[in-house]
């Protein structure tokens, strides 16, 4: 912009100088929502905006309560999905609470379990002083939002508006130790003077200190809950458009494209592989003209998912769009380099020319040699007789070249072997009774050790039927540290913990199963 100067300052320095400071938050999920609405206009003639998505849809909330939220903004993490069957959101304000409660503030402040007990009727809703009822009535007597903490200080401890704002600032400055501690005596003493029990006053301070670790204002939680609801609604009613938009907005969220594609397929969306005759750069929507879902919308994977392709390759393909009469026409018209062409072949995107991957690679090398006039090969049509790739080999090739496969999960073709070892699927684990011993093997898709978990590590494993969540206590993790940190396919022995519709496996041992080079090492996430 003309006559504008941009400089970089530390935000704390800006605040110390008394300058006006505004935080701007960019959310990739808003791009996904925009793309999804665009697709709905193209595919179904439905014109939606965030403000016009039907409110309080019962089917959407039923899906949320089932924890069927992979890809849904804010409520797709392991912790959020474990909370959903307990909190059982049925209204938009329930969703606001859901977004806010799985945060370090409410967790370390000890607010989560009291709220859940009161919500389920196991514990009466009480207030330590009548003056606090207007402040805490919406959340059943439990402070969950940052504004409630500030109001609580003003009402129960007679903080002035200036003191309350300083409390807010000190909660936000949790990295600078000691700032929040200066409020302890003032809060506790003033609340005791008002007739509030010291035990409650001390607990309130612990909750305030917990908010210093990260808690949501109610307005922030409501804004996020709106995006959560909109993405849940579109997933519930238009899953093909939802996942197509999500794959085009990726990278974002908790899950790899492989997991997102597998989840879309599990809920009935057909996902078709990359194909140079039909794929654009991004994923697109197609009407199924064959198979079991004729007439339904399906997803065609885009060329952007072939590893090694970049913007320059995209521009060349877009400058010479399909159809291509044969492989030679594709090579000549697109003028792609050898590495890009071989990557496309290895991803199975040349199957449309009647060539399997090995045959396509052989012909490509001959064509490239002729183009470069460096090789003197026999006629391209004189192909050796290559052994056909098995279904599992195709999946392995897919993962190596595009980190996903529309042809099946890596463990699908190994299921007969796993069954012979009496290893259950994820779907079977989810139905097991509490306390039952279990051995399970799956692909590692997530490792987490939250700061609020006191050294506990959480894993999510996946197979062709769904997810299994693991809990590793510190001593178990340390005993199997190398395997826990590096394994892409992991076996576990432990006991099922099934409570309130939520199933975990409490792990006692980790182990490896010798599978050879048959399972692609893709999809695992690092600690975060």
């Amino acid at each position: 912009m003309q006559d504008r100067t941009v400089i970089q300052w530390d935000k704390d320095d800006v605040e110390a100088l008394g300058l006006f400071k505004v935080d701007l938050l960019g959310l990739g999920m808003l791009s996904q929502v925009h793309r999804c609405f665009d697709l709905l206009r193209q595919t179904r003639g439905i014109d939606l905006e965030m403000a016009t998505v039907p409110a309080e849809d019962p089917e959407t909330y039923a899906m949320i309560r089932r924890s069927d939220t992979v890809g849904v903004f804010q409520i797709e993490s392991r912790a959020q999905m474990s909370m959903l069957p307990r909190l059982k959101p049925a209204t938009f304000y329930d969703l606001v609470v859901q977004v806010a409660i799985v945060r370090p503030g409410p967790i370390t402040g000890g607010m989560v379990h009291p709220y859940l007990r009161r919500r389920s009727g196991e514990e009466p809703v009480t207030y330590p002083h009548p003056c606090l009822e207007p402040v805490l009535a919406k959340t059943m007597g439990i402070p969950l939002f940052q504004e409630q903490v500030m109001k609580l200080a003003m009402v129960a401890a007679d903080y002035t508006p200036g003191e309350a704002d300083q409390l807010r600032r000190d909660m936000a400055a949790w990295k600078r130790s000691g700032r929040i501690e200066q409020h302890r005596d003032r809060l506790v003493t003033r609340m005791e003077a008002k007739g509030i029990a010291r035990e409650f006053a001390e607990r309130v301070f612990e909750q305030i200190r917990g908010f210093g670790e990260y808690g949501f204002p109610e307005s922030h939680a409501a804004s996020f809950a709106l995006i959560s609801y909109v993405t849940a609604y579109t997933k519930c009613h238009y899953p093909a458009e939802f996942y197509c938009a999500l794959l085009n907005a990726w990278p974002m969220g908790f899950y790899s494209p492989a997991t997102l594609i597998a989840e879309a397929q599990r809920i009935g969306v057909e996902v078709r592989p990359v194909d140079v005759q039909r794929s654009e750069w991004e994923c697109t929507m197609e009407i199924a003209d064959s198979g079991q879902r004729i007439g339904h919308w399906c997803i065609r994977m885009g060329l952007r998912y072939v590893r090694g392709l970049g913007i320059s390759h995209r521009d060349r393909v877009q400058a010479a769009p399909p159809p291509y009469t044969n492989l030679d026409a594709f090579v000549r018209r697109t003028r792609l380099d050898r590495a890009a062409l071989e990557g496309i072949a290895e991803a199975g995107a040349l199957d449309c020319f009647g060539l399997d991957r090995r045959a396509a690679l052989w012909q490509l090398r001959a064509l490239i040699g002729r183009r470069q006039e460096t090789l003197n090969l026999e006629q391209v049509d004189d192909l050796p007789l290559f052994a056909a790739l098995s279904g599992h080999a195709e999946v392995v090739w897919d993962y190596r070249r595009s980190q996903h496969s529309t042809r099946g999960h890596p463990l699908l073709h190994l299921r007969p072997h796993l069954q012979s070892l009496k290893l259950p699927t994820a779907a079977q684990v989810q139905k097991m009774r509490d306390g039952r011993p279990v051995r399970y093997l799956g692909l590692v898709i997530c490792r987490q050790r939250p700061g609020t978990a006191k050294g506990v590590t959480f894993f999510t494993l996946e197979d062709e039927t769904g997810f299994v969540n693991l809990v590793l206590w510190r001593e178990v993790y340390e005993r199997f540290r190398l395997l826990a940190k590096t394994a892409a396919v992991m076996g576990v022995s432990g006991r099922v913990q099934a409570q309130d519709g939520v199933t975990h496996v409490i792990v006692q041992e980790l182990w490896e199963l010798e599978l050879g080079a048959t399972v692609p090492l893709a999809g695992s996430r690092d600690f975060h």
Side-chain angles (χ1 to χ4, degrees), residues 339-398:
L341 289 169
E342 290 185 350
I344 289 170
E346 290 173 4
L350 300 180
D351 292 1
C352 53
F353 298 122
L355 300 168
D356 68 16
R357 302 179 208 217
R358 289 170 176 152
L361 283 168
W362 183 270
Q363 284 211 16
L364 276 177
R365 287 167 184 171
L367 290 168
I368 293 167
R370 287 181 176 181
R371 185 173 69 184
Q372 296 174 342
E373 298 182 352
T374 59
L375 296 176
N376 183 18
L377 298 183
E378 298 177 1
Q379 287 286 58
V380 177
D381 293 336
D382 297 337
L383 287 175
L385 184 60
F386 292 107
L389 290 174
S390 67
H392 183 64
E394 287 188 324
V395 171
V396 172
W397 279 57
D398 285 344

Side-chain angles (χ1 to χ4, degrees), residues 6-74:
V6 177
I7 60 174
Q8 291 181 319
W9 275 13
D10 181 87
K11 64 183 179 64
D12 296 326
D13 294 343
V14 171
E15 183 175 359
L17 288 169
L19 298 178
F20 185 62
K21 181 165 64 72
V22 178
D23 291 340
L24 301 178
L25 178 64
L27 295 174
M29 188 54 80
L30 290 176
S31 294
Q32 188 275 346
V33 170
H34 194 298
R35 290 167 182 262
C36 187
F37 288 167
D38 287 346
L39 288 173
L40 286 171
R41 278 188 284 271
Q42 295 167 19
T43 58
R44 305 174 192 267
I46 296 173
D47 193 2
L48 282 180
E49 297 178 357
M50 290 188 70
T52 59
V53 169
E56 306 294 50
D57 177 62
E59 292 179 60
T60 299
Y61 283 110
M63 182 192 77
I64 290 172
R65 289 192 294 273
R66 294 194 303 269
S67 296
D68 185 8
T69 55
V70 171
V72 176
F73 182 66
Q74 285 291 300

Side-chain angles (χ1 to χ4, degrees), residues 176-398:
R176 284 171 270 170
S177 60
R179 287 277 292 270
I180 199 72
E181 292 296 329
Q182 65 189 10
H183 293 272
R184 177 191 289 272
D185 290 341
R186 192 187 320 173
L187 280 164
V188 172
T189 302
R190 290 185 182 183
M191 279 194 268
E192 277 191 299
K194 207 155 192 171
I196 296 173
R198 184 177 184 86
E199 182 273 335
F200 178 81
E202 292 280 1
R203 188 152 59 92
V204 166
F205 177 76
E206 290 303 315
Q207 291 171 339
I208 291 173
R209 186 158 59 181
F211 269 92
E213 292 290 327
Y214 187 53
F216 269 10
E218 185 177 15
S219 56
H220 191 162
S223 298
F224 274 20
L226 176 60
I227 306 173
S228 299
Y229 177 79
V230 167
T231 52
Y233 178 88
T234 52
K235 175 179 177 175
C236 180
H237 294 280
Y238 311 108
E241 289 85 352
F242 170 82
Y243 276 108
C244 185
L246 189 58
L247 289 166
N248 286 335
W250 198 87
M252 58 181 295
F254 276 78
Y255 301 102
S256 69
T259 297
L260 297 175
I261 290 166
E263 185 66 16
Q265 292 173 324
R266 274 195 285 269
I267 62 176
V269 177
E270 182 182 352
V271 186
R272 297 181 167 184
V274 181
D275 182 323
V276 296
Q277 293 280 36
R278 298 172 179 84
S279 292
E280 297 181 16
W281 179 251
E282 293 197 332
C283 302
T284 52
M285 302 292 296
E286 290 183 358
I287 284 284
D289 53 7
S290 61
Q292 297 181 345
R293 296 184 60 79
I294 293 178
H296 288 79
W297 286 103
C298 60
I299 300 171
R300 171 70 67 179
M301 293 302 296
L303 286 164
R304 70 179 287 237
Y305 277 101
V306 178
R307 293 175 64 183
L309 296 188
I311 299 302
S312 64
H313 303 114
R314 179 201 66 185
D315 294 342
R316 289 194 175 196
V317 172
Q318 290 179 344
Y324 310 105
T325 54
N326 52 35
L327 178 59
D328 181 51
F330 172 72
V331 172
R332 283 187 294 101
R333 288 178 54 197
T334 59
R335 297 179 295 110
L336 295 171
D337 58 67
R338 177 172 181 157
L341 289 169
E342 290 185 350
I344 289 170
E346 290 173 4
L350 300 180
D351 292 1
C352 53
F353 298 122
L355 300 168
D356 68 16
R357 302 179 208 217
R358 289 170 176 152
L361 283 168
W362 183 270
Q363 284 211 16
L364 276 177
R365 287 167 184 171
L367 290 168
I368 293 167
R370 287 181 176 181
R371 185 173 69 184
Q372 296 174 342
E373 298 182 352
T374 59
L375 296 176
N376 183 18
L377 298 183
E378 298 177 1
Q379 287 286 58
V380 177
D381 293 336
D382 297 337
L383 287 175
L385 184 60
F386 292 107
L389 290 174
S390 67
H392 183 64
E394 287 188 324
V395 171
V396 172
W397 279 57
D398 285 344

Side-chain angles (χ1 to χ4, degrees), residues 123-134:
E123 177 181 304
V125 176
T126 58
Y127 303 93
H129 193 280
C131 70
L132 296 179
E133 184 170 353

Side-chain angles (χ1 to χ4, degrees), residues 64-69 72-89 94-103 107 216 224 228 254-255 448 469 502 504:
I64 290 172
R65 289 192 294 273
R66 294 194 303 269
S67 296
D68 185 8
T69 55
V72 176
F73 182 66
Q74 285 291 300
I75 55 174
E76 65 169 349
S77 70
R78 175 207 56 80
Q80 288 279 0
M81 291 172 74
S82 295
M83 182 64 68
L84 288 168
R86 297 183 175 116
L87 199 144
K88 300 181 177 63
D94 291 343
L95 209 53
V96 176
V97 171
Q98 172 75 37
V99 166
I101 201 169
V102 186
R103 302 289 158 191
I107 292 171
F216 269 10
F224 274 20
S228 299
F254 276 78
Y255 301 102
Q448 289 179 293
N469 289 318
V502 180
H504 293 85

